[in-house]
Amino acid sequence: MSDLTSYPKEKINILFLENISDKAVQIFKQNGYTNVKKIAGALSEEELIKEIKNVHLLGIRSKTQITENVLQAATKLQAIGCFCIGVNQVNLKAARKKGVVVFNAPYSNTRSVAELVLGLSIMLIRRIPDKNKAAHEGIWQKEAKGSFEMRGKTLGIIGYGNIGSQLSVMAESLGMKVIFYDTETKLPLGNATACKSLKEVMSNADIISLHVPETAQTKNLINKSNLKYCKKGAILINYARGEVVDLNALAKSLKDQDLSGAAIDVFPWEPEKNGDRFESPLQGLSNVILTPHIGGSTEEAQQNIGEDVSLKLFNYLEKGITNGSHTVPAIVLPPVEGAHRILHIHNNVPGVLGAINTLLSKHNINIVGQYLKTNEDIGYVVLDVDKKLSKKAIDLLREEKETIKVRLLY
């Protein structure tokens, strides 16, 4: 039944930006979608407005900003796939109002990030960056001073979500003690211990690793005031979001030798493309590792993300499934034989479902099955109707004043 979509596949336009994995392209082409365009870099708002006019599905990573202006220009857009962990690059409120489904991949690169954080911890606690720099400069620096083992040390995790909890398990396997703080109550894995405050974690950890989203509450979460809580010689790792750490305050703490090292992968401002100039107050500091937002950038992670998000896009396009959506309410439903399925997205105001049923019943249109789910802004109704009357039903649903989008699925 998935092959019986109402819209010809050769007329569906799919645009993938930012060098999204070829796995995503393959999934659509193997299923008969021929108009798949892939662009290596991100596009500016102006460029994207020109490009998106006839696009039905859009795939992006973290650089492309989906603004309200872009969404207004996207007259045919059905769904956006964020091939990354976050969705903060999309104006979700504007997408919700337009009935555009937004998906992401919250789990696909957790292993890649957790592994790298653990590796960085070992490098920093052994002061490998300093020894590596000296060796490249022709200086032999064979000494144990300031180098330590991971075993017996305390790892403090701030944000005990998908990445933080996986890192927790891996760190324990090296003999570390794990403590964590999260604004939500989380069940500890292994022997990890939950702390009651950020201060409690920062004041007891030898290594502090951040794994929080970018929100108004987490901006400059690590700042001049709370860096003073850190143990002398502690290490700070930020592979979460660029706005979470005040880098000037961190630089001062490192220069004053209050902290012994840091690893930073994300920055408040990042260059648009490879080769662009990059500047940070942390450049040139001892025992500091700076990486260009590559925490989740492994071949395995990108392939997993490519498969995860593209399948979500595919399932919405062909089956109306919205599981994992950040805008349209999540519905997972089986296909129905002997009926046509209509997808109806509308403003969530009282009486819409009743109005739809009244409208269809007045015209003797039989509803075989009906599914409804709402969020604070919109409602998503899936209607299975008599095949002979589906065209009439579509026309009537478009006339309902609260309608945002109507689509005949099959």
Side-chain angles (χ1 to χ4, degrees), residues 379-393:
Y380 180 34
V381 180
V382 179
L383 294 154
D384 294 324
V385 302
D386 190 301
K387 282 187 175 183
K388 296 177 182 178
L389 300 169
S390 61
K391 177 65 170 64
K392 180 64 175 176

Side-chain angles (χ1 to χ4, degrees), residues 272-322:
E272 288 295 324
K273 60 183 184 299
N274 287 344
D276 284 355
R277 182 163 180 78
F278 163 69
E279 294 182 355
S280 169
L282 301 176
Q283 287 168 326
L285 297 183
S286 176
N287 206 36
V288 172
I289 299 174
L290 303 179
T291 50
H293 205 144
I294 48 91
S297 296
T298 61
E299 294 285 348
E300 294 92 341
Q302 293 311 305
Q303 184 170 332
N304 290 339
I305 290 171
E307 185 172 4
D308 180 18
V309 179
S310 56
L311 284 174
K312 288 173 181 173
L313 291 170
F314 176 80
N315 284 330
Y316 175 62
L317 186 64
E318 294 221 347
K319 302 173 185 177
I321 294 173
T322 51

Side-chain angles (χ1 to χ4, degrees), residues 25-46:
V25 178
Q26 291 169 11
I27 285 173
F28 281 98
K29 288 198 169 181
Q30 287 169 359
N31 284 280
Y33 294 92
T34 55
N35 293 329
V36 183
K37 183 177 181 180
K38 182 177 175 180
I39 295 176
L43 296 180
S44 66
E45 181 183 66
E46 185 179 354

Side-chain angles (χ1 to χ4, degrees), residues 91-369:
N91 185 325
L92 294 178
K93 185 176 180 181
R96 197 176 292 123
K97 286 182 177 179
K98 293 279 289 182
V100 175
V101 184
V102 178
F103 298 110
N104 68 329
Y107 313 114
S108 297
N109 67 357
T110 56
R111 179 73 183 192
S112 298
V113 179
E115 279 189 1
L116 185 52
V117 168
L118 204 58
L120 291 163
S121 300
I122 295 171
M123 299 284 278
L124 291 168
I125 206 168
R126 295 287 297 272
R127 300 197 71 89
I128 298 301
D130 290 338
K131 294 177 173 63
N132 174 66
K133 181 176 180 290
H136 277 284
E137 292 172 351
I139 301 168
W140 193 252
Q141 199 175 60
K142 186 178 185 295
E143 61 179 4
K145 184 180 179 181
S147 296
F148 302 94
E149 293 181 357
M150 295 278 278
R151 181 177 53 181
K153 304 302 182 296
T154 299
L155 172 65
I157 299 172
I158 299 172
Y160 203 68
N162 302 316
I163 297 172
S165 57
Q166 187 161 162
L167 174 63
S168 171
V169 173
M170 295 169 67
E172 280 198 34
S173 70
L174 291 179
M176 298 191 79
K177 176 184 177 183
V178 178
I179 59 177
F180 70 89
Y181 172 70
D182 198 294
T183 54
E184 298 179 9
T185 301
K186 298 288 179 69
L187 180 68
L189 300 181
N191 295 309
T193 303
C195 294
K196 294 180 180 179
S197 67
L198 187 70
K199 180 179 179 180
E200 186 179 353
V201 172
M202 295 183 72
S203 58
N204 287 285
D206 300 297
I207 299 171
I208 302 162
S209 189
L210 306 171
H211 301 285
V212 297
E214 185 175 300
T215 66
Q217 290 70 38
T218 61
K219 185 172 183 178
N220 287 337
L221 180 70
I222 306 302
N223 52 50
K224 178 175 65 175
S225 298
N226 55 33
L227 278 169
K228 295 175 183 177
Y229 302 150
C230 293
K231 293 171 66 173
K232 184 77 172 178
I235 290 165
L236 180 72
I237 298 176
N238 182 21
Y239 271 58
R241 289 290 180 262
E243 296 283 353
V244 172
V245 178
D246 180 339
L247 295 184
N248 289 312
L250 175 59
K252 185 177 187 309
S253 187
L254 289 161
K255 289 173 184 176
D256 293 345
Q257 298 185 346
D258 293 326
L259 294 182
S260 68
I264 307 294
D265 184 54
V266 286
F267 303 87
W269 174 86
E270 297 178 1
E272 288 295 324
K273 60 183 184 299
N274 287 344
D276 284 355
R277 182 163 180 78
F278 163 69
E279 294 182 355
S280 169
L282 301 176
Q283 287 168 326
L285 297 183
S286 176
N287 206 36
V288 172
I289 299 174
L290 303 179
T291 50
H293 205 144
I294 48 91
S297 296
T298 61
E299 294 285 348
E300 294 92 341
Q302 293 311 305
Q303 184 170 332
N304 290 339
I305 290 171
E307 185 172 4
D308 180 18
V309 179
S310 56
L311 284 174
K312 288 173 181 173
L313 291 170
F314 176 80
N315 284 330
Y316 175 62
L317 186 64
E318 294 221 347
K319 302 173 185 177
I321 294 173
T322 51
N323 207 26
S325 168
H326 289 265
T327 49
V328 174
I331 289 181
V332 180
L333 63 169
V336 173
E337 297 285 352
H340 280 176
R341 176 161 287 175
I342 300 170
L343 311 181
H344 183 267
I345 298 173
H346 59 269
N347 293 313
N348 184 19
V349 298
V352 175
L353 187 61
I356 288 173
N357 291 338
T358 300
L359 193 63
L360 297 183
S361 65
K362 278 183 179 179
H363 292 80
N364 298 315
I365 296 173
N366 184 42
I367 300 174
V368 178

